[in-house]
Amino acid sequence: MLGKLSQKVFVQVYVLILLNLFFWAFTFIGGIVLGVGPALRVISELYLDSQSDYQNVKFKTGWQYFKQYFWLANGQFWGFAGIFALLAYNLFLSAQLTGFWVLLVQFILFFALAAVLVTGGYTLLLVSRFDVTTKNAVMLAIGQLFQNFTQFLLTIIGLAAIGAASYFWPGLIIFLTVATAIRWLNYCGRRWYAHINTLLASGH
């Protein structure tokens, strides 16, 4: 039994390594600036396709996804990235000010940054999992965000832990970080996805 468990863990880690390497490959294929968004969409689609089976993680399939969603994924990624950058810049500017009210503003900005990051991740998984428009995916992601605030905090804590581990062990950025974040976001949203599936099955 221990041998089967070890094999299962090894295969799942191997899938994450493959996906992370694919992310960097497609990011560079897209010229970095136009590659990050499509690369995220590629590994999200491949992760959902794989069902933790490395034989289903194929570069050829990823290339098809890359071409299919290139412009759509770029629009979605840079939309969220632009909002995130604007909020981050305002947080930077607020650090130059003093006063109690500044702390309140910084807290709001920090919360907004976290919300945008998580909503962007949720949106990525939603458009990969369901046949929905970007607008509807964002609305579903916002609903997911506020449906369970504890789950939102847990998502942030997990992403922060992945980020901290990557900071102390930079090699993870190449081999595991991005794919692990996708896996974590998918895990955190499993109940919401089940809820959406139930609504779709009932015709609502």
Side-chain angles (χ1 to χ4, degrees):
M1 184 174 180
L2 183 60
K4 289 184 178 180
L5 179 60
S6 299
Q7 183 181 18
K8 183 179 180 180
V9 171
F10 174 80
V11 170
Q12 291 184 355
V13 171
Y14 181 60
V15 167
L16 293 179
I17 291 173
L18 276 179
L19 290 172
N20 215 80
L21 292 175
F22 281 7
F23 167 78
W24 288 113
F26 285 113
T27 294
F28 284 109
I29 288 173
I32 301 178
V33 174
L34 294 178
V36 178
L40 286 171
R41 181 64 182 269
V42 166
I43 67 169
S44 177
E45 294 278 354
L46 288 176
Y47 174 73
L48 295 175
D49 289 347
S50 72
Q51 299 297 315
S52 296
D53 185 349
Y54 70 90
Q55 294 181 348
N56 293 328
V57 182
K58 299 178 180 179
F59 188 88
K60 183 178 179 181
T61 305
W63 175 242
Q64 295 300 321
Y65 285 137
F66 184 83
K67 293 186 295 183
Q68 180 180 353
Y69 298 115
F70 183 81
W71 293 113
L72 180 62
N74 266 303
Q76 293 166 344
F77 173 78
W78 286 110
F80 280 103
I83 296 172
F84 188 90
L86 182 62
L87 290 170
Y89 181 66
N90 279 279
L91 183 61
F92 170 76
L93 291 179
S94 70
Q96 319 302 317
L97 305 175
T98 57
F100 178 78
W101 67 273
V102 176
L103 294 177
L104 178 60
V105 170
Q106 289 175 335
F107 175 80
I108 294 173
L109 288 172
F110 184 80
F111 176 82
L113 281 168
V116 170
L117 177 65
V118 172
T119 302
Y122 286 165
T123 300
L124 174 64
L125 268 299
L126 285 164
V127 294
S128 299
R129 185 179 287 271
F130 302 104
D131 184 17
V132 292
T133 63
T134 300
K135 179 181 178 180
N136 288 335
V138 171
M139 291 176 64
L140 287 170
I142 293 173
Q144 181 180 354
L145 186 72
F146 291 102
Q147 186 258 353
N148 189 331
F149 188 73
T150 302
Q151 189 66 61
F152 164 66
L153 293 178
L154 183 63
T155 304
I156 287 296
I157 291 172
L159 292 176
I162 293 170
S166 300
Y167 176 79
F168 289 108
W169 296 285
L172 293 176
I173 297 174
I174 298 174
F175 295 106
L176 283 172
T177 299
V178 182
T180 303
I182 294 292
R183 181 184 174 92
W184 177 246
L185 286 165
N186 184 66
Y187 175 79
C188 291
R190 66 196 187 285
R191 293 181 181 177
W192 185 246
Y193 305 142
H195 175 64
I196 294 175
N197 280 322
T198 300
L199 292 177
L200 291 174
S202 62
H204 289 85

